[in-house]
Amino acid sequence: MDNQDILERIKALVEEEHSLRETAEESNEIKSGGIPDPHRLRQLEEQLDQCWDLLRQRRAKKDYGANPDEARTRPAKQVEDYNG
C-alpha cells in the first residue's frame, strides 16, 4: 500500500462516516433518536487513526532515508494511546 492508496482509504472512510451521520440526521427528522451507529463510528475513527498513523510513519521513513514500505499498521489500541 503506497501513500496514494492510504489517502484513498482515508477518503473512503471519511465519506462513510459522513454518510452514516447524514442518514442518522435524516432519520431524526422522521422519528426521534436519529443517532448514528456508535459501534460503527468507533470503528471508523479507529481505522482513520490507523491510516493517518501509517501515512505519518511512511513519510517519516522516507524523510530519513528508510524504506517507507517497511511501515506497518499498528494496532488500534496502540495508535489511540499514542494520539491520546
PDB file of all heavy atoms in Angstrom, residues 7 20-21 31 34 46 53-55 57 62 67 71 81:
ATOM      1  N   LEU A   7      -4.280   7.449   1.262  1.00  0.00           N
ATOM      2  CA  LEU A   7      -5.120   8.644   1.160  1.00  0.00           C
ATOM      3  C   LEU A   7      -6.497   8.319   0.592  1.00  0.00           C
ATOM      4  O   LEU A   7      -7.512   8.869   1.045  1.00  0.00           O
ATOM      5  CB  LEU A   7      -4.423   9.711   0.318  1.00  0.00           C
ATOM      6  CG  LEU A   7      -3.225  10.375   0.984  1.00  0.00           C
ATOM      7  CD1 LEU A   7      -2.439  11.210  -0.027  1.00  0.00           C
ATOM      8  CD2 LEU A   7      -3.664  11.225   2.168  1.00  0.00           C
ATOM      9  N   LEU A  20     -23.005   8.038   7.228  1.00  0.00           N
ATOM     10  CA  LEU A  20     -23.624   7.480   8.425  1.00  0.00           C
ATOM     11  C   LEU A  20     -24.272   8.585   9.258  1.00  0.00           C
ATOM     12  O   LEU A  20     -25.407   8.454   9.718  1.00  0.00           O
ATOM     13  CB  LEU A  20     -22.568   6.739   9.242  1.00  0.00           C
ATOM     14  CG  LEU A  20     -23.019   5.861  10.386  1.00  0.00           C
ATOM     15  CD1 LEU A  20     -23.914   4.735   9.891  1.00  0.00           C
ATOM     16  CD2 LEU A  20     -21.809   5.269  11.098  1.00  0.00           C
ATOM     17  N   ARG A  21     -23.568   9.686   9.415  1.00  0.00           N
ATOM     18  CA  ARG A  21     -24.101  10.817  10.186  1.00  0.00           C
ATOM     19  C   ARG A  21     -25.291  11.469   9.479  1.00  0.00           C
ATOM     20  O   ARG A  21     -26.281  11.835  10.103  1.00  0.00           O
ATOM     21  CB  ARG A  21     -23.011  11.845  10.472  1.00  0.00           C
ATOM     22  CG  ARG A  21     -21.959  11.337  11.440  1.00  0.00           C
ATOM     23  CD  ARG A  21     -20.910  12.411  11.737  1.00  0.00           C
ATOM     24  NE  ARG A  21     -19.799  11.884  12.493  1.00  0.00           N
ATOM     25  CZ  ARG A  21     -19.781  11.689  13.805  1.00  0.00           C
ATOM     26  NH1 ARG A  21     -20.863  11.976  14.507  1.00  0.00           N
ATOM     27  NH2 ARG A  21     -18.712  11.217  14.415  1.00  0.00           N
ATOM     28  N   LYS A  31     -38.262  10.522  12.763  1.00  0.00           N
ATOM     29  CA  LYS A  31     -38.545   9.966  14.085  1.00  0.00           C
ATOM     30  C   LYS A  31     -37.458  10.377  15.053  1.00  0.00           C
ATOM     31  O   LYS A  31     -36.374  10.774  14.644  1.00  0.00           O
ATOM     32  CB  LYS A  31     -38.651   8.447  14.015  1.00  0.00           C
ATOM     33  CG  LYS A  31     -37.373   7.786  13.540  1.00  0.00           C
ATOM     34  CD  LYS A  31     -37.502   6.288  13.449  1.00  0.00           C
ATOM     35  CE  LYS A  31     -36.167   5.736  12.956  1.00  0.00           C
ATOM     36  NZ  LYS A  31     -36.138   4.329  12.872  1.00  0.00           N
ATOM     37  N   GLY A  34     -32.443   9.721  15.945  1.00  0.00           N
ATOM     38  CA  GLY A  34     -31.598   9.560  14.767  1.00  0.00           C
ATOM     39  C   GLY A  34     -30.128   9.663  15.114  1.00  0.00           C
ATOM     40  O   GLY A  34     -29.466  10.634  14.790  1.00  0.00           O
ATOM     41  N   GLU A  46     -11.229   4.558  14.598  1.00  0.00           N
ATOM     42  CA  GLU A  46     -10.013   3.768  14.809  1.00  0.00           C
ATOM     43  C   GLU A  46      -9.282   3.532  13.496  1.00  0.00           C
ATOM     44  O   GLU A  46      -8.052   3.664  13.414  1.00  0.00           O
ATOM     45  CB  GLU A  46     -10.350   2.436  15.473  1.00  0.00           C
ATOM     46  CG  GLU A  46     -10.747   2.566  16.924  1.00  0.00           C
ATOM     47  CD  GLU A  46     -11.201   1.259  17.542  1.00  0.00           C
ATOM     48  OE1 GLU A  46     -11.359   0.248  16.807  1.00  0.00           O
ATOM     49  OE2 GLU A  46     -11.406   1.240  18.767  1.00  0.00           O
ATOM     50  N   ASP A  53      -1.782   7.315  11.023  1.00  0.00           N
ATOM     51  CA  ASP A  53      -0.535   6.888  11.660  1.00  0.00           C
ATOM     52  C   ASP A  53       0.383   6.217  10.637  1.00  0.00           C
ATOM     53  O   ASP A  53       1.580   6.502  10.589  1.00  0.00           O
ATOM     54  CB  ASP A  53      -0.844   5.929  12.817  1.00  0.00           C
ATOM     55  CG  ASP A  53       0.419   5.405  13.477  1.00  0.00           C
ATOM     56  OD1 ASP A  53       1.146   6.212  14.092  1.00  0.00           O
ATOM     57  OD2 ASP A  53       0.670   4.189  13.368  1.00  0.00           O
ATOM     58  N   LEU A  54      -0.171   5.339   9.819  1.00  0.00           N
ATOM     59  CA  LEU A  54       0.619   4.651   8.796  1.00  0.00           C
ATOM     60  C   LEU A  54       1.202   5.654   7.804  1.00  0.00           C
ATOM     61  O   LEU A  54       2.379   5.563   7.430  1.00  0.00           O
ATOM     62  CB  LEU A  54      -0.237   3.608   8.077  1.00  0.00           C
ATOM     63  CG  LEU A  54       0.448   2.799   6.978  1.00  0.00           C
ATOM     64  CD1 LEU A  54       1.654   2.041   7.523  1.00  0.00           C
ATOM     65  CD2 LEU A  54      -0.557   1.840   6.334  1.00  0.00           C
ATOM     66  N   LEU A  55       0.398   6.617   7.397  1.00  0.00           N
ATOM     67  CA  LEU A  55       0.877   7.638   6.467  1.00  0.00           C
ATOM     68  C   LEU A  55       2.006   8.450   7.096  1.00  0.00           C
ATOM     69  O   LEU A  55       3.034   8.715   6.441  1.00  0.00           O
ATOM     70  CB  LEU A  55      -0.279   8.558   6.061  1.00  0.00           C
ATOM     71  CG  LEU A  55      -0.013   9.540   4.940  1.00  0.00           C
ATOM     72  CD1 LEU A  55       0.387   8.834   3.649  1.00  0.00           C
ATOM     73  CD2 LEU A  55      -1.245  10.410   4.715  1.00  0.00           C
ATOM     74  N   GLN A  57       4.069   7.417   9.444  1.00  0.00           N
ATOM     75  CA  GLN A  57       5.239   6.527   9.506  1.00  0.00           C
ATOM     76  C   GLN A  57       5.953   6.484   8.162  1.00  0.00           C
ATOM     77  O   GLN A  57       7.180   6.575   8.095  1.00  0.00           O
ATOM     78  CB  GLN A  57       4.804   5.095   9.858  1.00  0.00           C
ATOM     79  CG  GLN A  57       4.404   4.845  11.270  1.00  0.00           C
ATOM     80  CD  GLN A  57       4.054   3.375  11.414  1.00  0.00           C
ATOM     81  OE1 GLN A  57       4.901   2.506  11.200  1.00  0.00           O
ATOM     82  NE2 GLN A  57       2.805   3.089  11.761  1.00  0.00           N
ATOM     83  N   LYS A  62      10.584   7.867   4.786  1.00  0.00           N
ATOM     84  CA  LYS A  62      11.109   8.420   3.539  1.00  0.00           C
ATOM     85  C   LYS A  62      12.002   9.632   3.821  1.00  0.00           C
ATOM     86  O   LYS A  62      13.083   9.761   3.244  1.00  0.00           O
ATOM     87  CB  LYS A  62       9.964   8.826   2.616  1.00  0.00           C
ATOM     88  CG  LYS A  62      10.433   9.359   1.280  1.00  0.00           C
ATOM     89  CD  LYS A  62       9.279   9.718   0.381  1.00  0.00           C
ATOM     90  CE  LYS A  62       9.831  10.282  -0.917  1.00  0.00           C
ATOM     91  NZ  LYS A  62       8.788  10.849  -1.758  1.00  0.00           N
ATOM     92  N   ASN A  67      13.131   2.865   4.049  1.00  0.00           N
ATOM     93  CA  ASN A  67      12.144   2.364   3.104  1.00  0.00           C
ATOM     94  C   ASN A  67      10.735   2.551   3.679  1.00  0.00           C
ATOM     95  O   ASN A  67      10.387   1.924   4.673  1.00  0.00           O
ATOM     96  CB  ASN A  67      12.407   0.884   2.821  1.00  0.00           C
ATOM     97  CG  ASN A  67      11.459   0.309   1.799  1.00  0.00           C
ATOM     98  OD1 ASN A  67      10.518   0.949   1.350  1.00  0.00           O
ATOM     99  ND2 ASN A  67      11.703  -0.935   1.424  1.00  0.00           N
ATOM    100  N   ALA A  71       6.942   0.459   6.853  1.00  0.00           N
ATOM    101  CA  ALA A  71       5.947   0.940   7.821  1.00  0.00           C
ATOM    102  C   ALA A  71       4.814  -0.076   7.898  1.00  0.00           C
ATOM    103  O   ALA A  71       4.439  -0.694   6.901  1.00  0.00           O
ATOM    104  CB  ALA A  71       5.414   2.297   7.401  1.00  0.00           C
ATOM    105  N   ASP A  81      -3.707   5.218  22.047  1.00  0.00           N
ATOM    106  CA  ASP A  81      -2.927   5.657  23.207  1.00  0.00           C
ATOM    107  C   ASP A  81      -1.887   6.688  22.802  1.00  0.00           C
ATOM    108  O   ASP A  81      -1.630   7.631  23.529  1.00  0.00           O
ATOM    109  CB  ASP A  81      -2.231   4.453  23.877  1.00  0.00           C
ATOM    110  CG  ASP A  81      -3.206   3.566  24.635  1.00  0.00           C
ATOM    111  OD1 ASP A  81      -4.342   4.001  24.875  1.00  0.00           O
ATOM    112  OD2 ASP A  81      -2.828   2.433  24.962  1.00  0.00           O
TER     113      ASP A  81
END
